[in-house]
Amino acid sequence: MTPAISAGWQPTLTGETQQPYYHKLQEFLDQERSEHTVFPPEPEIFTALELTPYARANVLLLGQDPYHDVGHAHGLCFSVRPGVKQPSLANIFKELKSDVGFRIPNNGYLTPWAEQGMLMLNAVLTVREHQPNSHKGKGWETFTDAVIRALNAKESKVVFVLWGGYARN
């Protein structure tokens, strides 16, 4: 069973977890985990929401789905733990350096960004090992659309960062 929504998002998303699509999604995930390896690990599915509570979210970085290789996904889009090769980040870091003089770090661990208010959310929060987009269309998009709508409705401004064709669409 997927972990509970973090306290910082509970008031905003409680209704979502009661919806029929969400229950169907949970059944799908239980079945997937019984037959396959699924990333990120179950306790890390909502890491983005835990590290960036609704009240502190001022930037949304939207990704497609988690990395599908062992040890890569940990609940933040585009982020990998120290020591893990930076799949998508190398080009992103180069662009940031070119555009704003960003100092390229020696790892792709973006947790500090999340702790500063950047919600790093994938549109689909889980994936089967070695099978990108394998959980697409199973219900996560409805859930993450609710997160996006909630951010868009905030009184304070939120910057939406859309890296890649999937995010722009």
Short mmCIF file of all heavy atoms in Angstrom, two decimals, residues 35-87:
data_model
loop_
_atom_site.label_atom_id
_atom_site.label_comp_id
_atom_site.label_asym_id
_atom_site.label_seq_id
_atom_site.Cartn_x
_atom_site.Cartn_y
_atom_site.Cartn_z
N GLU A 35 4.50 -8.62 -8.41
CA GLU A 35 5.03 -9.33 -9.57
C GLU A 35 6.32 -8.74 -10.15
O GLU A 35 7.02 -9.41 -10.90
CB GLU A 35 3.98 -9.35 -10.68
CG GLU A 35 2.70 -10.08 -10.30
CD GLU A 35 1.61 -9.95 -11.34
OE1 GLU A 35 1.86 -9.38 -12.43
OE2 GLU A 35 0.49 -10.41 -11.06
N HIS A 36 6.61 -7.48 -9.84
CA HIS A 36 7.73 -6.77 -10.47
C HIS A 36 8.44 -5.88 -9.45
O HIS A 36 7.90 -5.58 -8.39
CB HIS A 36 7.24 -5.88 -11.62
CG HIS A 36 6.41 -6.59 -12.63
ND1 HIS A 36 6.95 -7.40 -13.60
CD2 HIS A 36 5.06 -6.64 -12.81
CE1 HIS A 36 5.99 -7.89 -14.35
NE2 HIS A 36 4.82 -7.46 -13.88
N THR A 37 9.61 -5.41 -9.83
CA THR A 37 10.28 -4.38 -9.05
C THR A 37 9.77 -3.04 -9.54
O THR A 37 9.72 -2.78 -10.74
CB THR A 37 11.81 -4.47 -9.25
OG1 THR A 37 12.25 -5.77 -8.83
CG2 THR A 37 12.53 -3.40 -8.46
N VAL A 38 9.37 -2.20 -8.59
CA VAL A 38 8.79 -0.90 -8.91
C VAL A 38 9.64 0.18 -8.24
O VAL A 38 10.07 0.03 -7.09
CB VAL A 38 7.32 -0.82 -8.43
CG1 VAL A 38 6.75 0.58 -8.60
CG2 VAL A 38 6.47 -1.85 -9.16
N PHE A 39 9.88 1.26 -8.97
CA PHE A 39 10.64 2.39 -8.43
C PHE A 39 9.76 3.64 -8.39
O PHE A 39 8.87 3.78 -9.21
CB PHE A 39 11.86 2.68 -9.31
CG PHE A 39 12.84 1.55 -9.36
CD1 PHE A 39 13.23 1.02 -10.57
CD2 PHE A 39 13.38 1.01 -8.20
CE1 PHE A 39 14.13 -0.03 -10.64
CE2 PHE A 39 14.29 -0.04 -8.26
CZ PHE A 39 14.65 -0.56 -9.48
N PRO A 40 10.03 4.56 -7.48
CA PRO A 40 11.01 4.45 -6.41
C PRO A 40 10.53 3.45 -5.35
O PRO A 40 9.38 3.00 -5.41
CB PRO A 40 11.05 5.86 -5.83
CG PRO A 40 9.70 6.43 -6.08
CD PRO A 40 9.27 5.82 -7.39
N PRO A 41 11.39 3.13 -4.39
CA PRO A 41 10.93 2.26 -3.31
C PRO A 41 9.66 2.85 -2.68
O PRO A 41 9.50 4.07 -2.62
CB PRO A 41 12.10 2.26 -2.32
CG PRO A 41 13.30 2.60 -3.17
CD PRO A 41 12.78 3.53 -4.23
N GLU A 42 8.80 1.99 -2.23
CA GLU A 42 7.49 2.42 -1.74
C GLU A 42 7.53 3.59 -0.75
O GLU A 42 6.76 4.55 -0.90
CB GLU A 42 6.75 1.22 -1.13
CG GLU A 42 5.28 1.43 -1.00
CD GLU A 42 4.54 0.14 -0.73
OE1 GLU A 42 5.17 -0.89 -0.44
OE2 GLU A 42 3.31 0.17 -0.81
N PRO A 43 8.41 3.59 0.25
CA PRO A 43 8.42 4.71 1.20
C PRO A 43 8.82 6.05 0.57
O PRO A 43 8.64 7.10 1.19
CB PRO A 43 9.44 4.30 2.26
CG PRO A 43 9.66 2.85 2.07
CD PRO A 43 9.35 2.54 0.64
N GLU A 44 9.36 6.04 -0.65
CA GLU A 44 9.85 7.27 -1.28
C GLU A 44 8.91 7.82 -2.36
O GLU A 44 9.24 8.81 -3.01
CB GLU A 44 11.23 7.03 -1.87
CG GLU A 44 12.26 6.67 -0.80
CD GLU A 44 13.62 6.34 -1.36
OE1 GLU A 44 13.75 6.09 -2.59
OE2 GLU A 44 14.57 6.31 -0.57
N ILE A 45 7.76 7.21 -2.55
CA ILE A 45 6.85 7.66 -3.61
C ILE A 45 6.50 9.13 -3.46
O ILE A 45 6.47 9.88 -4.43
CB ILE A 45 5.58 6.79 -3.65
CG1 ILE A 45 5.91 5.39 -4.14
CG2 ILE A 45 4.51 7.43 -4.53
CD1 ILE A 45 4.75 4.41 -4.05
N PHE A 46 6.24 9.57 -2.23
CA PHE A 46 5.82 10.95 -2.00
C PHE A 46 6.93 11.84 -1.44
O PHE A 46 6.66 12.85 -0.80
CB PHE A 46 4.60 10.99 -1.07
CG PHE A 46 3.37 10.38 -1.68
CD1 PHE A 46 2.70 9.36 -1.04
CD2 PHE A 46 2.88 10.83 -2.90
CE1 PHE A 46 1.54 8.80 -1.59
CE2 PHE A 46 1.74 10.28 -3.46
CZ PHE A 46 1.08 9.26 -2.81
N THR A 47 8.19 11.49 -1.71
CA THR A 47 9.31 12.29 -1.22
C THR A 47 9.18 13.75 -1.65
O THR A 47 9.44 14.66 -0.86
CB THR A 47 10.65 11.71 -1.70
OG1 THR A 47 10.81 10.42 -1.13
CG2 THR A 47 11.82 12.60 -1.31
N ALA A 48 8.77 14.00 -2.88
CA ALA A 48 8.64 15.38 -3.35
C ALA A 48 7.66 16.16 -2.47
O ALA A 48 7.93 17.32 -2.10
CB ALA A 48 8.17 15.40 -4.81
N LEU A 49 6.54 15.55 -2.13
CA LEU A 49 5.54 16.23 -1.30
C LEU A 49 6.03 16.38 0.14
O LEU A 49 5.72 17.39 0.80
CB LEU A 49 4.22 15.46 -1.33
CG LEU A 49 3.58 15.29 -2.72
CD1 LEU A 49 2.30 14.46 -2.61
CD2 LEU A 49 3.30 16.62 -3.38
N GLU A 50 6.80 15.42 0.63
CA GLU A 50 7.33 15.50 1.99
C GLU A 50 8.35 16.62 2.12
O GLU A 50 8.34 17.37 3.09
CB GLU A 50 7.97 14.18 2.40
CG GLU A 50 6.97 13.06 2.58
CD GLU A 50 7.64 11.70 2.68
OE1 GLU A 50 8.88 11.62 2.86
OE2 GLU A 50 6.91 10.70 2.55
N LEU A 51 9.25 16.73 1.14
CA LEU A 51 10.32 17.72 1.23
C LEU A 51 9.86 19.14 0.89
O LEU A 51 10.51 20.11 1.29
CB LEU A 51 11.49 17.33 0.32
CG LEU A 51 12.25 16.08 0.71
CD1 LEU A 51 13.30 15.75 -0.34
CD2 LEU A 51 12.90 16.25 2.09
N THR A 52 8.78 19.25 0.14
CA THR A 52 8.28 20.56 -0.28
C THR A 52 6.79 20.65 0.07
O THR A 52 5.93 20.37 -0.77
CB THR A 52 8.49 20.78 -1.79
OG1 THR A 52 9.83 20.42 -2.13
CG2 THR A 52 8.24 22.23 -2.17
N PRO A 53 6.47 21.03 1.30
CA PRO A 53 5.07 21.16 1.68
C PRO A 53 4.36 22.23 0.84
O PRO A 53 4.99 23.16 0.34
CB PRO A 53 5.13 21.58 3.15
CG PRO A 53 6.53 21.38 3.59
CD PRO A 53 7.39 21.37 2.38
N TYR A 54 3.07 22.08 0.71
CA TYR A 54 2.26 22.99 -0.10
C TYR A 54 2.53 24.46 0.25
O TYR A 54 2.74 25.28 -0.65
CB TYR A 54 0.77 22.67 0.12
CG TYR A 54 -0.16 23.59 -0.61
CD1 TYR A 54 -0.34 23.49 -1.98
CD2 TYR A 54 -0.87 24.57 0.08
CE1 TYR A 54 -1.20 24.35 -2.65
CE2 TYR A 54 -1.73 25.43 -0.58
CZ TYR A 54 -1.90 25.32 -1.94
OH TYR A 54 -2.74 26.17 -2.61
N ALA A 55 2.57 24.79 1.51
CA ALA A 55 2.74 26.18 1.93
C ALA A 55 4.08 26.76 1.48
O ALA A 55 4.19 27.96 1.26
CB ALA A 55 2.60 26.29 3.45
N ARG A 56 5.10 25.92 1.34
CA ARG A 56 6.44 26.39 0.96
C ARG A 56 6.74 26.25 -0.52
O ARG A 56 7.78 26.73 -0.99
CB ARG A 56 7.50 25.65 1.77
CG ARG A 56 7.55 26.10 3.21
CD ARG A 56 8.79 25.66 3.98
NE ARG A 56 9.90 25.23 3.18
CZ ARG A 56 10.46 24.03 3.26
NH1 ARG A 56 10.00 23.12 4.08
NH2 ARG A 56 11.49 23.72 2.52
N ALA A 57 5.88 25.59 -1.27
CA ALA A 57 6.14 25.36 -2.69
C ALA A 57 6.01 26.67 -3.46
O ALA A 57 4.95 27.30 -3.46
CB ALA A 57 5.17 24.32 -3.25
N ASN A 58 7.10 27.08 -4.11
CA ASN A 58 7.06 28.30 -4.91
C ASN A 58 7.57 28.07 -6.33
O ASN A 58 7.50 28.96 -7.17
CB ASN A 58 7.82 29.45 -4.22
CG ASN A 58 9.23 29.06 -3.82
OD1 ASN A 58 9.91 28.34 -4.53
ND2 ASN A 58 9.66 29.54 -2.66
N VAL A 59 8.06 26.86 -6.60
CA VAL A 59 8.49 26.47 -7.94
C VAL A 59 8.04 25.03 -8.15
O VAL A 59 8.15 24.21 -7.24
CB VAL A 59 10.04 26.55 -8.10
CG1 VAL A 59 10.48 26.04 -9.47
CG2 VAL A 59 10.54 27.97 -7.87
N LEU A 60 7.53 24.74 -9.33
CA LEU A 60 7.20 23.37 -9.70
C LEU A 60 8.08 22.97 -10.87
O LEU A 60 8.08 23.62 -11.91
CB LEU A 60 5.73 23.22 -10.12
CG LEU A 60 5.38 21.86 -10.74
CD1 LEU A 60 5.47 20.75 -9.72
CD2 LEU A 60 4.02 21.88 -11.39
N LEU A 61 8.86 21.92 -10.67
CA LEU A 61 9.64 21.32 -11.74
C LEU A 61 8.93 20.02 -12.07
O LEU A 61 8.78 19.14 -11.22
CB LEU A 61 11.08 21.05 -11.29
CG LEU A 61 11.98 20.31 -12.27
CD1 LEU A 61 12.09 21.07 -13.59
CD2 LEU A 61 13.35 20.10 -11.65
N LEU A 62 8.45 19.89 -13.29
CA LEU A 62 7.65 18.74 -13.68
C LEU A 62 8.44 17.80 -14.58
O LEU A 62 9.00 18.21 -15.59
CB LEU A 62 6.39 19.21 -14.42
CG LEU A 62 5.37 18.14 -14.78
CD1 LEU A 62 4.82 17.48 -13.53
CD2 LEU A 62 4.25 18.75 -15.60
N GLY A 63 8.48 16.54 -14.18
CA GLY A 63 9.11 15.50 -14.97
C GLY A 63 8.07 14.53 -15.49
O GLY A 63 6.87 14.68 -15.24
N GLN A 64 8.53 13.51 -16.18
CA GLN A 64 7.63 12.54 -16.81
C GLN A 64 7.32 11.38 -15.88
O GLN A 64 6.21 11.21 -15.42
CB GLN A 64 8.24 12.03 -18.10
CG GLN A 64 7.34 11.14 -18.91
CD GLN A 64 7.89 10.90 -20.31
OE1 GLN A 64 8.77 11.60 -20.80
NE2 GLN A 64 7.38 9.90 -20.96
N ASP A 65 8.30 10.52 -15.65
CA ASP A 65 8.15 9.42 -14.70
C ASP A 65 9.52 9.14 -14.09
O ASP A 65 10.52 9.63 -14.57
CB ASP A 65 7.50 8.19 -15.33
CG ASP A 65 8.31 7.51 -16.42
OD1 ASP A 65 9.26 8.13 -16.96
OD2 ASP A 65 8.01 6.36 -16.75
N PRO A 66 9.55 8.37 -12.99
CA PRO A 66 10.83 8.14 -12.31
C PRO A 66 11.84 7.40 -13.19
O PRO A 66 11.47 6.70 -14.13
CB PRO A 66 10.44 7.25 -11.12
CG PRO A 66 8.98 7.46 -10.94
CD PRO A 66 8.44 7.74 -12.31
N TYR A 67 13.11 7.57 -12.83
CA TYR A 67 14.14 6.77 -13.47
C TYR A 67 13.82 5.30 -13.22
O TYR A 67 13.33 4.93 -12.15
CB TYR A 67 15.52 7.10 -12.92
CG TYR A 67 15.98 8.51 -13.22
CD1 TYR A 67 16.43 9.34 -12.21
CD2 TYR A 67 15.97 9.00 -14.52
CE1 TYR A 67 16.87 10.62 -12.48
CE2 TYR A 67 16.41 10.28 -14.80
CZ TYR A 67 16.85 11.09 -13.78
OH TYR A 67 17.28 12.36 -14.05
N HIS A 68 14.11 4.44 -14.18
CA HIS A 68 13.69 3.05 -14.10
C HIS A 68 14.84 2.07 -13.85
O HIS A 68 14.66 0.86 -13.96
CB HIS A 68 12.92 2.66 -15.37
CG HIS A 68 13.66 2.97 -16.63
ND1 HIS A 68 14.55 2.08 -17.18
CD2 HIS A 68 13.67 4.08 -17.41
CE1 HIS A 68 15.07 2.63 -18.26
NE2 HIS A 68 14.56 3.84 -18.42
N ASP A 69 16.02 2.58 -13.52
CA ASP A 69 17.15 1.71 -13.21
C ASP A 69 17.36 1.62 -11.69
O ASP A 69 17.05 2.57 -10.96
CB ASP A 69 18.43 2.21 -13.87
CG ASP A 69 18.43 2.00 -15.38
OD1 ASP A 69 17.79 1.03 -15.83
OD2 ASP A 69 19.06 2.80 -16.09
N VAL A 70 17.92 0.53 -11.25
CA VAL A 70 18.16 0.28 -9.84
C VAL A 70 18.99 1.42 -9.23
O VAL A 70 20.00 1.83 -9.80
CB VAL A 70 18.90 -1.07 -9.64
CG1 VAL A 70 19.25 -1.29 -8.17
CG2 VAL A 70 18.06 -2.21 -10.18
N GLY A 71 18.52 1.93 -8.10
CA GLY A 71 19.26 2.95 -7.35
C GLY A 71 19.13 4.37 -7.85
O GLY A 71 19.76 5.27 -7.30
N HIS A 72 18.36 4.60 -8.89
CA HIS A 72 18.25 5.95 -9.43
C HIS A 72 17.09 6.74 -8.83
O HIS A 72 17.30 7.84 -8.33
CB HIS A 72 18.11 5.90 -10.96
CG HIS A 72 19.38 5.56 -11.66
ND1 HIS A 72 19.76 6.13 -12.83
CD2 HIS A 72 20.38 4.71 -11.33
CE1 HIS A 72 20.93 5.64 -13.21
NE2 HIS A 72 21.32 4.78 -12.32
N ALA A 73 15.88 6.25 -8.91
CA ALA A 73 14.71 7.00 -8.46
C ALA A 73 14.65 7.05 -6.93
O ALA A 73 14.82 6.04 -6.26
CB ALA A 73 13.44 6.36 -9.00
N HIS A 74 14.40 8.26 -6.42
CA HIS A 74 14.19 8.39 -4.97
C HIS A 74 13.08 9.40 -4.66
O HIS A 74 13.01 9.94 -3.56
CB HIS A 74 15.50 8.72 -4.24
CG HIS A 74 16.05 10.08 -4.54
ND1 HIS A 74 15.89 11.14 -3.68
CD2 HIS A 74 16.77 10.54 -5.58
CE1 HIS A 74 16.49 12.21 -4.19
NE2 HIS A 74 17.04 11.86 -5.34
N GLY A 75 12.19 9.61 -5.61
CA GLY A 75 10.99 10.40 -5.35
C GLY A 75 11.05 11.85 -5.77
O GLY A 75 10.08 12.58 -5.54
N LEU A 76 12.14 12.30 -6.34
CA LEU A 76 12.25 13.68 -6.86
C LEU A 76 12.59 13.59 -8.34
O LEU A 76 13.57 12.94 -8.71
CB LEU A 76 13.37 14.45 -6.16
CG LEU A 76 13.25 14.66 -4.66
CD1 LEU A 76 14.49 15.38 -4.13
CD2 LEU A 76 11.99 15.45 -4.32
N CYS A 77 11.81 14.25 -9.18
CA CYS A 77 12.11 14.18 -10.61
C CYS A 77 13.49 14.75 -10.90
O CYS A 77 13.92 15.71 -10.26
CB CYS A 77 11.03 14.88 -11.44
SG CYS A 77 11.01 16.67 -11.37
N PHE A 78 14.18 14.13 -11.81
CA PHE A 78 15.51 14.50 -12.29
C PHE A 78 16.63 14.26 -11.28
O PHE A 78 17.80 14.32 -11.63
CB PHE A 78 15.57 15.95 -12.79
CG PHE A 78 14.69 16.24 -13.95
CD1 PHE A 78 13.49 16.91 -13.78
CD2 PHE A 78 15.03 15.81 -15.23
CE1 PHE A 78 12.66 17.17 -14.87
CE2 PHE A 78 14.21 16.07 -16.31
CZ PHE A 78 13.02 16.74 -16.13
N SER A 79 16.32 14.02 -10.03
CA SER A 79 17.32 13.88 -8.98
C SER A 79 17.82 12.44 -8.85
O SER A 79 17.04 11.50 -9.04
CB SER A 79 16.72 14.33 -7.64
OG SER A 79 17.68 14.26 -6.60
N VAL A 80 19.09 12.29 -8.54
CA VAL A 80 19.69 11.01 -8.21
C VAL A 80 20.57 11.20 -6.97
O VAL A 80 21.07 12.30 -6.73
CB VAL A 80 20.53 10.41 -9.37
CG1 VAL A 80 19.65 10.03 -10.54
CG2 VAL A 80 21.63 11.37 -9.82
N ARG A 81 20.74 10.14 -6.23
CA ARG A 81 21.58 10.23 -5.03
C ARG A 81 23.05 10.42 -5.42
O ARG A 81 23.45 10.06 -6.53
CB ARG A 81 21.42 8.96 -4.20
CG ARG A 81 20.08 8.90 -3.51
CD ARG A 81 20.07 7.80 -2.45
NE ARG A 81 18.89 7.89 -1.65
CZ ARG A 81 17.73 7.29 -1.96
NH1 ARG A 81 17.62 6.57 -3.06
NH2 ARG A 81 16.69 7.43 -1.18
N PRO A 82 23.85 10.97 -4.50
CA PRO A 82 25.28 11.11 -4.79
C PRO A 82 25.89 9.76 -5.17
O PRO A 82 25.53 8.72 -4.62
CB PRO A 82 25.86 11.61 -3.46
CG PRO A 82 24.71 12.31 -2.80
CD PRO A 82 23.49 11.52 -3.19
N GLY A 83 26.77 9.79 -6.16
CA GLY A 83 27.43 8.58 -6.63
C GLY A 83 26.71 7.91 -7.79
O GLY A 83 27.24 7.00 -8.40
N VAL A 84 25.50 8.36 -8.11
CA VAL A 84 24.74 7.81 -9.22
C VAL A 84 24.91 8.73 -10.42
O VAL A 84 24.84 9.96 -10.28
CB VAL A 84 23.23 7.67 -8.86
CG1 VAL A 84 22.43 7.19 -10.05
CG2 VAL A 84 23.06 6.73 -7.68
N LYS A 85 25.15 8.15 -11.58
CA LYS A 85 25.31 8.93 -12.80
C LYS A 85 24.08 9.82 -13.02
O LYS A 85 22.96 9.41 -12.77
CB LYS A 85 25.49 8.00 -14.00
CG LYS A 85 25.85 8.72 -15.28
CD LYS A 85 26.10 7.73 -16.40
CE LYS A 85 26.46 8.52 -17.65
NZ LYS A 85 25.77 8.08 -18.82
N GLN A 86 24.30 11.02 -13.51
CA GLN A 86 23.26 12.02 -13.71
C GLN A 86 22.65 11.88 -15.11
O GLN A 86 23.08 12.57 -16.02
CB GLN A 86 23.83 13.42 -13.55
CG GLN A 86 24.55 13.66 -12.27
CD GLN A 86 25.34 14.96 -12.31
OE1 GLN A 86 25.10 15.83 -13.12
NE2 GLN A 86 26.28 15.08 -11.41
N PRO A 87 21.64 11.05 -15.28
CA PRO A 87 21.09 10.81 -16.62
C PRO A 87 20.65 12.09 -17.36
O PRO A 87 21.25 12.46 -18.35
CB PRO A 87 19.90 9.90 -16.37
CG PRO A 87 20.11 9.31 -15.03
CD PRO A 87 20.93 10.30 -14.26
#
